[in-house]
Amino acid sequence: MGTTLHATNSSESQVSEFILLGFPGIHEWQHWFSLPMALLYLVALSANLLILITIYREPGLHQPMYQFLGILAAVDIGLATTSMPKILAILWFDAKAISLPECFAQIYAIHSFMCMESGIFLCMAVDRYVAICYPLQYPSIVTEAFVIKATLSMLLRNGLLTIPVPVLAAQRQYCSRNEIDHCLCSNLGVTSLACDDITVNKFYQLALAWFVVGSDMILVFASYALIIRTVLRLNSIEAISKALSTCSSHLILILFYYTAIILVSVTHLAGRKVPLIPVLLNVLHIVIPPSLNPMVYALRTQELRVGFQRVFNLSEFTSRKPTDYI
């Protein structure tokens, strides 16, 4: 009888929704963040859609480097859309309530897209490694089938490995507190409200970060170390400049992406003293890379700029075709 009564009381006290309070410490004037957030989201959507349309409609861009860029643009749209509409709803309409299933779905989507972005960066690094270190074998190695297999493997890896994150969060008991001092449902932010032990949640979060993002980061930088070593062995300055120019855009985005991840991780450890900083960095890390990625590629990749001109008639039509990478 006592056990049954305890189970009933536990079930009755289980919260039915979470309340996302927004940016901690500045709730009174956080609505001023809505304009830059909305602009960043609009830029992320429009710029990545522009990339996708241009690559789809321009036959000269139907090559592995730009196919991976198109996949990255689709991932960026998904990443920004998982959280920005809810953040803007909080800032504009004070719509702070979110149901438990919606919250756990957001946790899954954010983790999946962030891991997917890391995986695509790895695929792009391998593409550049083969193109520069093995230029003669490049056409036979990096084929359309390679792009499809690499993309599917990233989808399966990230889609399956991130499933336990929301599943473990959903198994916790949320019996009293339901207010999250955040703009979105972060895994640790949600599970910190649980009444029972969350050691397994923290362990899997850490293991996922090291196994997926950490291994991707190591392989990416290893690829670029080999690329730099190969480039420095070239005798022609022109060849060195051409080889580096094919990697510069990608390397800029990689450095920004992984530096931001490290900053978010470090500031999260100090979040108890200044909770606004990790929350703000977490939100910016979700919306800034999708806004920045297409801009960097558009500014630094001549073939893509020519594709924009042809597809959207932004300047006088030119018959110049995109050149090969190598």
Side-chain angles (χ1 to χ4, degrees):
M1 177 68 75
T3 303
T4 305
L5 182 60
H6 175 74
T8 303
N9 290 336
S10 176
S11 176
E12 289 176 353
S13 62
Q14 175 84 352
V15 300
S16 60
E17 64 180 14
F18 293 120
I19 305 297
L20 297 171
L21 299 179
F23 295 98
I26 57 169
H27 299 147
E28 294 77 11
W29 52 278
Q30 64 181 356
H31 59 276
W32 292 105
F33 281 176
S34 63
L35 181 58
M37 291 292 177
L39 289 175
L40 284 172
Y41 183 49
L42 182 61
V43 168
L45 289 182
S46 57
N48 283 290
L49 282 173
L50 180 63
I51 293 281
L52 285 171
I53 293 172
T54 301
I55 293 174
Y56 175 76
R57 296 186 59 183
E58 183 60 30
L61 299 178
H62 293 175
Q63 303 177 45
M65 178 180 179
Y66 297 106
Q67 290 171 340
F68 281 129
L69 178 57
I71 297 169
L72 179 64
V75 171
D76 282 339
I77 291 174
L79 178 60
T81 304
T82 58
S83 53
M84 284 310 301
K86 182 60 180 179
I87 292 175
L88 293 177
I90 294 172
L91 298 178
W92 284 344
F93 309 112
D94 205 35
K96 298 179 179 180
I98 183 171
S99 68
L100 269 64
E102 290 175 338
C103 189
F104 299 140
Q106 188 182 66
I107 290 175
Y108 175 74
I110 290 174
H111 280 76
S112 295
F113 280 118
M114 291 195 70
C115 292
M116 184 66 183
E117 183 152 358
S118 178
I120 295 301
F121 278 139
L122 174 59
C123 293
M124 297 172 79
V126 171
D127 171 72
R128 293 298 84 211
Y129 166 73
V130 177
I132 293 176
C133 298
Y134 302 95
L136 298 179
Q137 292 86 359
Y138 178 79
S140 61
I141 296 176
V142 185
T143 61
E144 184 175 349
F146 173 86
V147 175
I148 294 174
K149 291 177 181 178
T151 303
L152 289 177
S153 66
M154 290 298 108
L155 284 171
L156 288 174
R157 184 197 72 169
N158 302 317
L160 294 177
L161 290 180
T162 52
I163 288 177
V165 177
V167 170
L168 290 172
Q171 291 178 345
R172 304 281 70 83
Q173 292 294 321
Y174 304 95
C175 54
S176 56
R177 298 176 299 159
N178 70 336
E179 293 185 341
I180 305 173
D181 225 2
H182 208 308
C183 297
L184 48 87
C185 288
S186 66
N187 181 43
L188 296 180
V190 171
T191 54
S192 65
L193 302 178
C195 305
D196 49 354
D197 184 48
I198 62 170
T199 301
V200 65
N201 300 72
K202 292 181 178 180
F203 176 79
Y204 192 84
Q205 176 85 17
L206 182 63
L208 181 68
W210 277 104
F211 179 74
V212 176
V213 180
S215 61
D216 286 350
M217 182 172 63
I218 292 171
L219 292 174
V220 164
F221 285 113
S223 299
Y224 271 94
L226 295 173
I227 288 173
I228 293 173
R229 186 186 68 173
T230 301
V231 168
L232 293 178
R233 290 179 176 178
L234 300 176
N235 297 323
S236 171
I237 296 179
E238 182 181 354
I240 293 175
S241 176
K242 184 177 180 181
L244 291 177
S245 67
T246 64
C247 301
S248 57
S249 302
H250 185 209
L251 190 56
I252 289 172
L253 298 180
I254 285 173
L255 289 173
F256 177 83
Y257 179 80
Y258 289 114
T259 300
I261 285 182
I262 293 172
L263 286 176
V264 170
S265 301
V266 170
T267 55
H268 181 77
L269 298 176
R272 293 181 180 179
K273 295 181 179 180
V274 189
L276 173 62
I277 294 179
V279 170
L280 185 59
L281 286 176
N282 198 0
V283 172
L284 292 178
H285 187 236
I286 288 176
V287 70
I288 287 184
S291 306
L292 181 67
N293 293 349
M295 291 184 180
V296 171
Y297 271 100
L299 291 174
R300 299 188 60 87
T301 308
Q302 184 177 6
E303 289 81 3
L304 199 56
R305 293 198 301 271
V306 172
F308 292 153
Q309 294 169 2
R310 289 179 172 178
V311 172
F312 297 97
N313 296 319
L314 298 179
S315 65
E316 184 179 359
F317 182 83
T318 176
S319 60
R320 179 182 180 276
K321 294 184 180 180
T323 57
D324 294 335
Y325 311 134
I326 301 299

